[in-house]
Amino acid sequence: MEENYRAMFDQVRASDRLREEVSQMKMHKQMPRRRFPKTGLIAAVILVLLAGSAIASVGMPGTLRGWFAREWEESTGAPMTEEQLALVDDLTQPVGVSDTQNSVTVTVDSITVGNSTMWLLLKISGDYPAEETLRYHFRGIDMTLEPDPDQVETPGGYGFDFPYAAVAEDGVLTMLVRFTIDLAGQTSLLDAPRQTVLVLEDLVCNDLEKRGDEDVVLSEGGWTLTFPVEPGEAGEIRSLGEIRVPAMDLESRKIKTIALCDVEISATDITYVRSAEAQEWEPLRCALVLADGTAVEQSSGSSRFRDTACTEWSSVYYWQVPVDLNQVTALRFGDTEIPLSDG
């Protein structure tokens, strides 16, 4: 798989930054990040960028709480603690909104919302094959939020991916969608009530054994699901001010120490700013280190200018799962650990 991706990148022109970001992505069905103009809404018609795959297996968790607990244990090697589970519960909102098209019903069961990340748990019922070798997704996905959370007057990015789609423990086809948006650390998805409209187009699958990555349409149509995102708190926020971390020049692969300013850590992401001159120096992969030695690494991320004068290069990276910052003792970039105070 990795060799296929290297061959693909040899055939396309892409910036070193894009190559580096994509090389760090999990190999699952990934939707591209978009750059969008300033409007009242955010919207995307999503096309498949990478030929990755959503996990397909029977017996996956049927709740967001269960999925986060499973993901935590797989990535850290230890069970999720009660404190971490309580944080997930605090960030999770029930929804229960459904739409039926062509005898297939899609329900937004619940959502987990952080500063700039939203996980949506979908339940899908109807006449379709449910097999372990099939991987499921929607051919198109589009989501609008009103009011628009993006208040930064520079081009920004957002994207979707499908961490898993499987027949869950309750026997229902269950799909997890993750939405991420680069808000340059200025606003949060939780700072105001927002009306959300999710539009899904064509339920499709491909067969891992027979058809490779060729999509087969299971049900045509468009499902429109409208629901509120309630305001709330994303848990504790740690503001670190300025720190110095190792970073790599993506062209030369050299490493040096650079300054990151306005560093803020939340339960779901980390944001920081570096100068425009340093934007080609990418900080080494970061992680949160817990008191018991557990490390929760970043997943995807994106960057944009925070100011219209293009002097402040802002980045956001998302943790694989929400993290209770009360359990965190250090922030790590590469092999460099920065101790965090209790406050």
Side-chain angles (χ1 to χ4, degrees):
M1 177 72 74
E2 290 183 358
E3 291 299 321
N4 291 338
Y5 275 83
R6 291 193 188 98
M8 178 181 73
F9 280 113
D10 286 341
Q11 301 299 316
V12 300
R13 289 188 176 183
S15 68
D16 290 329
R17 182 174 302 283
L18 177 60
R19 290 170 182 263
E20 185 76 11
E21 288 183 357
V22 173
S23 70
Q24 295 178 1
M25 290 180 182
K26 284 184 177 180
M27 297 306 177
H28 54 209
K29 185 68 72 177
Q30 176 76 33
M31 298 308 187
R33 294 193 175 278
R34 295 296 193 192
R35 294 290 168 184
F36 52 88
K38 187 67 179 176
T39 61
L41 299 175
I42 59 174
V45 176
I46 302 300
L47 303 175
V48 174
L49 173 64
L50 302 178
S53 62
I55 299 170
S57 62
V58 174
M60 297 291 287
T63 65
L64 282 166
R65 193 179 203 263
W67 183 80
F68 284 122
R70 177 184 178 277
E71 184 74 0
W72 180 282
E73 187 160 0
E74 284 198 352
S75 61
T76 68
M80 204 174 210
T81 65
E82 289 301 319
E83 291 82 3
Q84 303 292 345
L85 288 170
L87 173 69
V88 170
D89 291 342
D90 288 343
L91 297 177
T92 300
Q93 304 175 18
V95 178
V97 171
S98 300
D99 187 26
T100 301
Q101 300 290 328
N102 296 326
S103 300
V104 172
T105 299
V106 179
T107 301
V108 180
D109 175 85
S110 51
I111 57 176
T112 299
V113 188
N115 276 337
S116 53
T117 314
M118 185 189 307
W119 292 266
L120 304 96
L121 190 70
L122 308 182
K123 301 278 189 171
I124 304 162
S125 60
D127 186 15
Y128 53 81
E131 301 176 16
E132 291 188 47
T133 61
L134 297 182
R135 54 188 182 184
Y136 307 85
H137 60 280
F138 287 94
R139 178 170 288 170
I141 181 169
D142 176 6
M143 193 164 78
T144 62
L145 298 173
E146 178 61 40
D148 183 1
D150 182 54
Q151 301 298 313
V152 182
E153 298 292 338
T154 62
Y158 65 101
F160 300 83
D161 59 359
F162 296 95
Y164 84 83
V167 178
E169 297 161 340
D170 57 8
V172 177
L173 176 59
T174 300
M175 187 178 298
L176 184 65
V177 178
R178 187 180 66 155
F179 166 74
T180 56
I181 181 169
D182 183 351
L183 298 172
Q186 302 300 294
T187 55
S188 167
L189 294 176
L190 288 166
D191 63 10
R194 304 186 193 280
Q195 190 73 351
T196 306
V197 180
L198 176 68
V199 177
L200 304 165
E201 178 186 358
D202 293 349
L203 178 64
V204 301
C205 73
N206 41 54
D207 194 314
L208 299 176
E209 294 182 348
K210 299 178 182 178
R211 305 186 184 93
D213 288 314
E214 178 185 354
D215 285 341
V216 175
V217 177
L218 299 177
S219 181
E220 294 182 341
W223 293 262
T224 300
L225 302 120
T226 302
F227 55 93
V229 174
E230 301 297 339
E233 297 292 335
E236 182 185 3
I237 304 293
R238 295 282 187 96
S239 298
L240 305 186
E242 180 177 318
I243 60 176
R244 299 187 66 81
V245 304
M248 178 184 290
D249 181 287
L250 299 182
E251 183 173 354
S252 68
R253 317 301 288 182
K254 294 180 179 179
I255 294 178
K256 73 173 185 179
T257 299
I258 66 170
L260 303 182
C261 302
D262 297 342
V263 180
E264 287 198 342
I265 305 170
S266 78
T268 54
D269 53 61
I270 179 174
T271 61
Y272 51 77
V273 174
R274 56 194 190 273
S275 67
E277 293 76 17
Q279 65 176 292
E280 291 306 318
W281 290 91
E282 186 68 20
L284 299 187
R285 190 172 184 85
C286 63
L288 294 175
V289 181
L290 279 63
D292 63 2
T294 298
V296 178
E297 294 192 344
Q298 68 181 56
S299 55
S300 61
S302 60
S303 300
R304 69 191 294 187
F305 282 110
R306 188 173 68 171
D307 61 328
T308 54
C310 297
T311 62
E312 298 178 335
W313 186 245
S314 175
S315 298
V316 57
Y317 281 93
Y318 313 97
W319 309 126
Q320 292 177 346
V321 295
V323 182
D324 178 7
L325 296 189
N326 289 319
Q327 310 301 312
V328 175
T329 59
L331 175 64
R332 187 172 68 202
F333 286 86
D335 293 328
T336 299
E337 285 196 6
I338 301 167
L340 302 183
S341 65
D342 294 335

